[in-house]
Amino acid sequence: MPLHVKYFTSDSVAQQASDYTATYGKLSFAAGETSKTITIPIVDDGYQESSEAFKINLKSADVGVLGAQNTATVTITDNDAAGSKANEGVQAATNPIDATPFFVGQQFYDFLNRVPTLAEVTNSATPITQCGSDQTCIRTQRINVSNTFFNDPAFQGNGYFVYRLYKTLLGRQPNYAEFVLDRSTLIGSADLETSKANLVNAFIVRAILMDPSLNNLTAEQFVDKLNTNVGGVVTSTQRTALVNALHGKYGTLASTLRSVADNQTLVANESNAANVLMLYFGYLRHDADSLYASRLQMLNQGGTLLSLVDAFVNSTEYRARFGAQAAPSPTIQFNSASYSAGEGAGSTTVTVTRSGETSSAATVRYATSDGTAKEGKDYTAAYGVLSLATGETSKTFTVLIIDNGYVAGTRTVNLTLSNPTGATLSAQSTAALNITENDTLTTNPVDQARFFVQQHYYDFLGRYPDQGGWDFWTNEIASCGTNQSCIDLKRINVSAAYFLSIEFQQTGYLVERIYKTAYGNGSGASTFGGTHQFAVPIVRFNEFLPDTQQIGSGVVVGATGWETVLENNKQAFTNDCVQRSRFTTAFPTTMSPAQFVDKLNTNAGNVLLSSERAAAIALFGSATDTSNTSARAQALRQVSENATLNSQEFNRALVLMQFFGYLRRDPNSGQDTDYTGFDFWLTKLNQFNGNFVNAEMVKAFITSTEYRQRFGAN
């Protein structure tokens, strides 16, 4: 009769993953056979060390078959050249994981648990070696090659099956040791289905030995327990069939477990969680750590598995398995020192890259500034924060280009990165955008309906036009034909529509109200009707522009999911706002909730009803101070979005946006030395009860010489 014996390796001085690959399995001796062999992959690491040993152990699978010599020692002799010292642990000059053959061979060890042939290494290495010395290509192809091994059925398929068994029967994930041991029974199996059936049977027995009460459950209780463990994926019809099978004795505990573990809803639901866990098992050879949750969240929110593979393969921890040379510290930079865009392109994309360690998230701010190109005339200022999730190595942002009517040659825009978190800036943290000329004759494109509409997207919404909106508003003006009075009125109404749009009201106008709520009014001098001081909006153009872009980032009203994007942006912005030094100085955390809310309300013009005031104070719960950042942000937002404030501030904001949107400046800058112009138009708009057409305000700004000369000389 055949005889079976199990084998497994265990650490001594040598450590699994760093010095050798943990190996488990079962040897089956047929009648007459007297010997079998075991292959254990050895890791040729980059450390200079003394000889190290690990153990290979035998464990009887059949009663009474082991002899006295059931353990043995395997000694690994070092082959690394000495460094400056000849002591154990001295680092070799390089990390062998950077060598392509070693890297590929290690993928076979880690994911397929076997030693590859030379031909297999050569074939798998080809995409990497074809990159030559192109480091970007090499990194990309190493990730792709490694991802292929991770997704190999011998690791991914069998490993995920083991994962689901633990989830289904025990309601938890396997730990690393359990995963390696149980998966080893499936590796290289000539009859995988039989091996899976044997594993399920053994798994049931082990579980009952640990928890005998499992054997006393009724059919209904057993099925319901499994279903609870997997989040209720078993339908009522499936439950009935499983229970009936157990009652009818043609179903077993093992077959029931297998049916639930292979449930396709469970397979889909647990895919991300299993993938992240198996990244730890495959690359780092240990249980998940504190970063597991954030990495899983990244996948659940649409991140790619390939990005996570990148993060693990290029992590210091993975590299430290093979040599002391850590992954380079993360740096963020532009991918080029200069970019070029034609004036007629409308927009251009700038790429920011992250190199080195990518195992955690990072952020960086970007901004444009005038070189020889002028904001509002040659381009629209771009500000924002790029967030790189775990494993992400690049992000992009857009700079809007204005196709003006000047013949001015190539002009440059300065691009700057600043305030990184989770990384440092490299030397290439500045770059230049060159806008190349496309005009030969000086004309003013603002008279063209399509350009006029496009520029309103730039000036008020800070984005490139969506095609539907662009066509609609252009046609509003073009429908007048050659009727100039019709064209003039349509241009006024189209222009005002951008201020009145949901998109601007929920972004730019909200920013104006947030500043008023946080900091009250400014004071401006005017000579209109006699020299005097009066209350003016406190937000300045250089504050308004980046903050509006932050709230409006990615928002296109009418596009799928725009409400969610806007809500997330509002939450992020107000959380950021209340942590700025200007705000914390004005509202120290030692203020009581009532003091905090009352000051916001006073700044906003006492707009809160008593019930609204109480609701804002209640955000802080029973706290006696206002150190809760989230509550501070929510209170600021509640007051800023108050309907009474929205109504009371409307005319002031409308006049302010004539200066910000059309003239790209503050009301008391440029050709205006004080707020007289602002005072004049606010008074007139109020006289006409907010009717901007009758007040002729919008008309005055869009036909002004200052506005027109942004785009052409006439």
Side-chain angles (χ1 to χ4, degrees), residues 477-506:
I477 301 171
S479 64
C480 291
T482 58
N483 185 332
Q484 193 59 49
S485 60
C486 173
I487 292 172
D488 292 343
L489 181 59
K490 287 287 189 179
R491 284 166 69 92
I492 292 168
N493 289 334
V494 166
S495 186
Y498 282 83
F499 174 82
L500 298 172
S501 69
I502 294 173
E503 193 166 327
F504 185 80
Q505 291 289 303
Q506 294 294 319

Side-chain angles (χ1 to χ4, degrees), residues 104 108 114-126:
V104 171
F108 278 92
R114 66 178 178 84
V115 178
T117 65
L118 179 60
E120 287 176 321
V121 171
T122 301
N123 289 337
S124 296
T126 297

Side-chain angles (χ1 to χ4, degrees), residues 138-194:
I138 290 172
R139 177 170 181 149
T140 299
Q141 292 305 328
R142 281 165 64 95
I143 296 164
N144 289 337
V145 167
S146 189
N147 188 54
T148 300
F149 282 89
F150 179 80
N151 284 294
D152 190 288
F155 182 77
Q156 177 71 248
N158 294 345
Y160 193 16
F161 178 73
V162 170
Y163 173 96
R164 295 196 309 276
L165 289 183
Y166 277 84
K167 186 71 176 176
T168 304
L169 185 58
L170 304 181
R172 65 170 176 84
Q173 298 175 336
N175 61 39
Y176 173 65
E178 292 169 334
F179 176 85
V180 172
L181 179 61
D182 287 331
R183 178 176 158 265
S184 70
T185 65
L186 306 178
I187 296 173
S189 173
D191 184 354
L192 186 58
E193 280 306 307
T194 298

